[in-house]
Structures are given as C-alpha cells and as structure tokens.
C-alpha cells in the first residue's frame, strides 16, 4: 500500500460518518431553499427584500460582534493574569473560569432575569445606594442580551487563550525588554502576534455561539429583540415554514463562514504562521 494513501484510508471511516451525519443533512437543508417555483433564488430574494428580516440579521450581527469584541478584551486580560500566576493559584483561577460552564445555558440566562429584573438584585442595589429613584427597565433590551452573552462565552475565550499565552516563552519578552522595547511595544510586537491563533479560535467560538444562540435571546430579549436563532425557531416550530427556516439557516451558515474567513485573513496579516 502506498504511503500517501495510508492517511486517507485511516481517516476514511471518520470522514464517511461526517459526510453522512453532518454533510448530507446540511446539503439537503440547503437544497430545499432552491426549489421555489418562482425561481431558485426566490426564497433568498424574499429574505433580503424584507425589512424585518434584515433588521433581525443586522441585530444578530451587531450583538455577536460586540460580544466577541468585549470577550476578546476581557478574556485576554484574564487569561494573561492566569498565565502569569503561580502554579497553585493558576489551578484555582482556571477552576473559577470553568465553573460557570458547569451549569446549563438556560439556568445561567434565568440568573440574569433575577439580576436585571425591575425587582432584581441590580435595581435593588442601585436604589439602595441612591443612584436611581425608580427601577430601570433593563430586561428585553439589546444590552441585556449582550451582557448575558458575554457572561456565557468569556470562559471559552479564557480557556482558549490560557494555553496559548502559557506557550509564549518568557525569554522573548525579556529579550525585547533588554533591547530597549517598552512593555507596550513588547506586547504589540511579541506577545500579540504569537497569541493570534488563540485569539482567532476564541473569536470564532464566541461569534458562532453568539450568532446562533437561541435560549439567551429568547429569555432576555423577547420578541422585541428577536435574533436569527429565535427567528429560525419561530419559522420552523410556530409557523411551520420549513423552507423559510431552511433559508434562514443557509444565511446563518454563509454569514458564519464568511466571518471565519475574514478572521483568518486578518490573522495571516498579523501573524503569517497563524493561517
């Protein structure tokens, strides 16, 4: 047996399972969107010509991008602190970062209902210190969805970056400092480029999770802040418009893949080894 064929033969069973249980369902879902009697692109024309649907799409993009940007900043700072901590403290910090992942998404979203409600913990605290004179309406807003999303996905960003930052040799930053580089310059020219692969992986995880999320937007955003995940569920399970739901799913897949490709291109510019 030629050596070049051995890796393909070894991976063939896994590849076949992926194609059978992942590839074919996705392709069949996409195929249904092109069977409209008015034309193969009629469903997409209906989607992109609808002001309501485009509003839902842009709102979802905005929430996902803001969540990703804030998660990158918060996650990087936290991961850097964890990576620089002593071994015993590092273990405790990692456990603290992972701990929220031990509870379900619905449970964590319900917790924010208790925190942000008019009779919730945050309003009670603000009233007690005299910052506000009456409870604020914080639920069912874009801000409440973003805050909950950040809470949900920052642990993923931290876990992704900790391993990358731990793998950056301290000798490199020491060498940069010995050559006269200030801490900010050493960070931009040494640490940041080497951390790009972890930043891209974490950003993709956070963006895709935020963009496709259902439970959190449904609980904290409601109908007034509908996102693509809740819109997809409504079309499929409430109105039973399976073709329309498949079109929404196709748009989500294309947007997600496009965003991943853009992030990869940015990564290659910052660090050619990251691509």
């Amino acid at each position: 047996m030629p050596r070049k064929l051995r890796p393909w033969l070894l991976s063939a069973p896994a590849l076949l399972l992926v194609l059978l249980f992942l590839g074919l369902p996705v392709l069949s879902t996409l195929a249904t969107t092109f069977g409209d009697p008015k034309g193969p692109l009629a469903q997409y024309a209906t989607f992109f010509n609808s002001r309501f649907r485009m509003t839902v799409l842009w709102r979802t993009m905005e929430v996902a991008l803001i969540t990703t940007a804030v998660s990158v900043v918060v996650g990087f700072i936290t991961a850097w602190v964890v990576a620089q901590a002593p071994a015993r403290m590092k273990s405790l910090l990692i456990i603290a970062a992972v701990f929220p992942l031990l509870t379900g998404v619905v449970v964590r979203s319900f917790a924010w209902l208790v925190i942000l409600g008019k009779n919730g913990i945050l309003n009670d605290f603000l009233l007690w210190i005299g910052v506000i004179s009456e409870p604020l309406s914080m639920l069912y807003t874009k801000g409440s969805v973003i805050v909950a999303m950040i809470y949900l996905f920052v642990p993923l960003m931290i876990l992704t970056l900790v391993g990358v930052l731990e793998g950056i040799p301290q000798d490199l930053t020491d060498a940069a400092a010995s050559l006269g580089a200030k801490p900010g310059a050493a960070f931009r020219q040494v640490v940041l480029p080497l951390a790009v692969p972890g930043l891209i992986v974490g950003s993709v995880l956070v963006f895709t999770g935020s963009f496709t999320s259902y439970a959190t937007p449904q609980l904290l955003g409601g109908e007034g802040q509908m996102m693509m995940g809740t819109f997809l569920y409504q079309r499929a399970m409430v109105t039973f418009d399976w073709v329309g739901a498949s079109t929404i799913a196709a748009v989500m897949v294309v947007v997600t893949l496009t965003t991943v490709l853009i992030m990869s291109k940015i990564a290659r510019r910052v660090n050619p080894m990251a691509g």
Side-chain angles (χ1 to χ4, degrees):
M1 180 186 301
R3 291 185 177 181
K4 293 182 178 180
L5 295 179
R6 289 179 183 177
W8 291 101
L9 292 176
L10 291 173
S11 61
L15 181 61
L16 182 62
L17 290 175
V18 170
L19 291 175
L20 183 62
F21 293 105
L22 181 61
L24 288 180
V26 172
L27 290 177
S28 63
T29 298
L30 295 177
T32 60
T33 65
F34 299 104
D36 195 291
K38 298 179 181 179
L41 300 178
Q43 287 293 326
Y44 296 97
T46 300
F47 182 93
F48 289 106
N49 289 329
S50 170
R51 180 177 296 181
F52 171 75
R53 297 181 185 187
M54 290 303 295
T55 299
V56 173
L57 175 60
W58 290 122
R59 180 187 298 125
T60 308
M61 284 286 295
E62 181 183 0
V63 170
L65 290 173
I66 293 175
T67 301
T68 303
V70 177
S71 297
V72 165
V73 175
V74 176
F76 193 96
I77 294 173
T78 307
W80 179 258
V81 173
V82 173
Q84 299 300 315
R88 183 176 300 179
M89 180 61 67
K90 184 181 301 182
S91 300
L92 294 176
L93 293 175
I94 291 176
I95 292 173
V98 174
F99 184 77
L101 299 177
L102 301 179
T103 57
V105 174
V106 176
V107 175
R108 285 181 280 171
S109 298
F110 266 112
W112 282 102
L113 288 174
V114 177
I115 295 172
L116 300 177
K118 281 197 171 183
N119 296 319
I121 298 172
L122 183 56
N123 265 317
D124 288 345
F125 174 74
L126 294 176
L127 288 169
W128 179 65
I129 63 176
V131 174
I132 58 175
S133 57
E134 59 182 13
L136 300 175
S137 297
M138 291 182 282
L139 288 178
Y140 310 116
T141 63
K142 191 184 300 182
S144 64
V145 176
I146 292 173
V147 169
M149 290 281 198
I150 293 170
Y151 171 72
L152 290 176
F153 293 111
V154 160
L156 294 178
M157 182 67 72
I158 295 172
L159 293 178
T160 303
L161 287 172
V162 165
V164 175
L165 294 177
E166 285 181 336
I168 298 176
Q170 183 65 34
D171 295 343
L172 294 179
T173 55
D174 292 341
S178 66
L179 293 173
K182 296 181 179 180
F187 172 80
R188 291 192 306 271
Q189 299 177 17
V190 178
V191 177
L192 186 58
L194 294 176
V196 164
L199 287 171
I200 295 301
V201 172
S203 298
V204 169
L205 290 175
V206 174
F207 179 84
T208 54
S210 304
F211 190 78
T212 60
S213 181
Y214 165 74
T216 302
Q218 179 66 27
L219 291 172
L220 296 170
E223 296 295 327
Q225 298 296 328
M226 182 178 292
M227 292 175 58
M228 292 292 282
T230 53
F231 188 35
L232 172 61
Y233 178 86
Q234 183 191 71
R235 302 302 296 181
M237 305 304 295
V238 178
T239 62
F240 300 104
D241 180 9
W242 294 100
V243 178
S246 299
T247 304
I248 296 170
V251 172
M252 294 173 70
V253 169
V254 171
V255 170
T256 302
L257 292 178
T258 302
T259 305
V260 171
L261 291 176
I262 292 173
M263 289 182 178
S264 299
K265 188 173 182 179
I266 294 173
R268 284 194 295 269
R269 286 192 175 185
V270 177
N271 181 3
M273 299 299 294

